[in-house]
């Protein structure tokens, strides 16, 4: 499996959940991770590193691609404005407000580059018949008088989903153990398991208010600020286990089907 934007290495992580499932089932799993937090040799904004990663996806070097691109520049919390940084983009100005300059302009350009590379990786996976899963916060529509940007608004992503035959899942990470809701979207060509029962793209009222596919639930406010970023970015352990299960089941079924085809044709 290739895991792009995997975050800081930690004990309770998706790679660890995959390795644990490998130990229990005897299903061999190898995980290759890339994230700048683990060293400059994993910097996906570096063109030479990126070209190598993309070429390996095209070469069918992996069974599964998992992509969790940085989402800080899309944060809805930026629209609170009080005592904090201001928004960098909106649904109208998806790639960034044209009046942004200086360090903030540099930040939005880097964020855009990584989002584009995340989508390119999924497109390459589609071309090479590699399973993929793209994770990103749910698009919750309007916030007050504004509509924050979300990658789920991109027409290019919808076209990719249609071409890949991908399904879009929606979850609250609270279902897997967080005290806060943390609504999340998953676009994947993996076969959804029972842990991911909701399928569908965001739906809004005429006024831009979120209508689903997730229903309203209660949850604690998510802690904000740089001191909380790493902790809240990490998937809860049960979510890691659920994704690991979906990944292994999908790969196992494909390999079994391919083996049956080879047997019947020999």
């Amino acid at each position: 499996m290739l895991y792009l934007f995997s975050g800081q290495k930690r004990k309770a992580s998706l790679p660890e959940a995959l390795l644990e499932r490998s130990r229990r089932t005897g299903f061999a799993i190898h995980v290759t991770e890339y994230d700048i937090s683990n060293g400059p040799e994993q910097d996906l904004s570096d063109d030479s590193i990126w070209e190598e990663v993309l070429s390996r996806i095209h070469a069918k070097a992996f069974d599964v691609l998992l992509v969790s691109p940085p989402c800080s520049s899309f944060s809805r919390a930026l629209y609170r404005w009080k005592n904090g940084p201001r928004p960098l983009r909106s649904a109208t100005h998806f790639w960034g407000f044209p009046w942004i300059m200086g360090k903030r302009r540099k930040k939005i350009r880097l964020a855009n580059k990584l989002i584009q590379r995340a989508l390119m990786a999924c497109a390459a996976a589609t071309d090479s018949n590699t399973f993929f899963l793209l994770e990103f916060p749910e698009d919750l529509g309007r916030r007050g008088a504004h509509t924050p940007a979300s990658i789920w608004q991109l027409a290019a992503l919808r076209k990719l989903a249609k071409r890949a035959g991908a399904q879009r899942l929606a979850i609250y990470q609270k279902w897997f153990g967080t005290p806060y809701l943390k609504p999340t979207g998953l676009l994947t060509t993996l076969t959804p398991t029972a842990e991911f029962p909701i399928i569908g793209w965001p739906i809004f009222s005429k006024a831009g208010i979120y209508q689903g596919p997730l229903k309203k639930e209660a949850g604690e406010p998510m802690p904000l600020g740089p001191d909380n970023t790493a902790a809240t970015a990490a998937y809860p352990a049960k979510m890691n286990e659920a994704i690991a299960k979906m990944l292994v089941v999908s790969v196992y079924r494909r390999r079994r089907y391919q083996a049956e085809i080879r047997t019947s044709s020999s």
Side-chain angles (χ1 to χ4, degrees), residues 65-163:
L65 166 71
L66 178 62
V67 191
S68 181
C71 58
S72 62
S73 67
F74 290 84
S75 175
R76 296 172 63 82
L78 296 175
Y79 280 85
R80 294 181 178 181
W81 290 3
K82 293 182 179 180
N83 302 320
R86 291 185 171 250
L88 297 171
R89 60 173 98 232
S90 69
T92 303
H93 296 285
F94 181 89
W95 298 110
F97 295 122
W99 53 83
I100 289 178
M101 296 295 172
K103 291 182 179 180
R104 298 177 78 232
R105 187 176 184 85
K106 184 178 180 180
K107 179 179 179 179
I108 197 72
R109 283 180 170 174
L110 175 59
N112 288 344
K113 186 177 188 178
L114 297 178
I115 288 294
Q116 290 164 353
R117 290 188 169 178
L119 300 187
M120 288 173 65
C122 292
T126 300
D127 293 338
S128 61
N129 198 30
T130 300
F131 287 120
F132 75 79
L133 186 150
L134 170 69
E135 178 271 333
F136 205 78
E138 176 68 306
D139 181 1
L140 297 177
R142 290 185 67 85
R143 183 183 180 93
H146 307 276
T147 304
S150 168
I151 67 167
W152 304 118
Q153 297 161 1
L154 285 173
L157 187 56
R158 297 245 185 175
K159 290 179 181 178
L160 173 61
K162 184 176 181 179
R163 182 165 70 87

